[in-house]
Amino acid sequence: MVLPTFHHLSEEKQARVRDALLNEFSQYPLAEAQVARIVKDAGIARGAFYKYFADLPDAYNYVFGVAMYEIHRTMPEMPTVDNVDAYMNSIRQFVVETDKAGYRKLIEQHYRYNEGFLGSEPTKLVDGADAPARWAITVLYHQTVRDIVLDPDSMDQRIEQLRTVLQKR
């Protein structure tokens, strides 16, 4: 969790630190990331880094959370029989937004290296009569996105594969 001191920085300084974090974590897996490169790139003192973040995983989780928020803010709600096309388009939009916002390498590093380094959490249980279907769709959707980020040339085939499953609901 970002420490309160970070939120007291000017927007310009916060942006500089975010950019330095994005640069570092886009180029290096978390296990190889260095505070020294981040502080040099951000133009801050090493001690300041630890006033903003508890450690490197904390800083990584912060910038990854920012990226996920930016990318997901325009995504549609859960797919239904009526919005499968919108949902499939949202996968393409996710990839485009990831590239446009400069997060592609960060997301790729996450899937390739950092996800395993940080540990895994179980998927969330969902309530309601259609809970199993909503859970399955969410898992398949995220796996499809993951596979596309790791193998961009397979996007069309993976989207069609997911579309076929969702239309059989």
Side-chain angles (χ1 to χ4, degrees):
M1 183 164 69
V2 177
L3 299 174
T5 310
F6 183 77
H7 297 295
H8 295 292
L9 298 175
S10 68
E11 268 302 314
E12 183 272 328
K13 193 166 189 178
Q14 284 183 29
R16 230 175 44 234
V17 171
R18 265 192 309 275
D19 289 346
L21 293 173
L22 178 60
N23 186 42
E24 181 71 11
F25 296 126
S26 293
Q27 292 183 48
Y28 300 95
L30 182 53
E32 297 173 15
Q34 294 180 1
V35 172
R37 285 191 296 253
I38 295 168
V39 299
K40 182 179 179 186
D41 193 17
I44 61 172
R46 184 178 184 90
F49 177 88
Y50 291 104
K51 288 184 178 186
Y52 309 150
F53 309 101
D55 51 25
L56 275 171
D58 186 35
Y60 174 80
N61 285 326
Y62 165 71
V63 77
F64 188 76
V66 168
M68 289 295 98
Y69 173 78
E70 288 289 318
I71 294 166
H72 281 94
R73 65 187 168 146
T74 60
M75 303 301 260
E77 294 299 319
M78 199 63 157
T80 66
V81 176
D82 300 325
N83 77 348
V84 169
D85 287 336
Y87 216 68
M88 296 305 95
N89 288 336
S90 75
I91 292 176
R92 289 183 196 284
Q93 183 179 344
F94 180 91
V95 173
V96 167
E97 290 297 319
T98 299
D99 289 340
K100 190 165 57 172
Y103 295 129
R104 163 72 83 156
K105 289 183 178 183
L106 175 71
I107 305 303
E108 186 177 337
Q109 288 282 4
H110 178 77
Y111 286 137
R112 227 174 261 294
Y113 306 108
N114 299 336
E115 191 173 47
F117 182 80
L118 292 169
S120 296
E121 296 288 325
T123 57
K124 295 196 184 326
L125 291 172
V126 181
D127 292 329
D130 64 343
R134 287 188 297 132
W135 169 81
I137 289 167
T138 300
V139 169
L140 289 172
Y141 178 86
H142 284 101
Q143 185 62 45
T144 301
V145 169
R146 183 182 195 280
D147 291 342
I148 291 169
V149 168
L150 295 174
D151 182 15
D153 294 337
S154 69
M155 180 164 58
D156 292 337
Q157 296 92 330
R158 293 185 187 281
I159 288 173
E160 284 312 308
Q161 178 177 277
L162 181 59
R163 180 191 312 277
T164 299
V165 170
L166 292 180
Q167 288 176 332
K168 288 184 179 184
R169 272 190 47 199

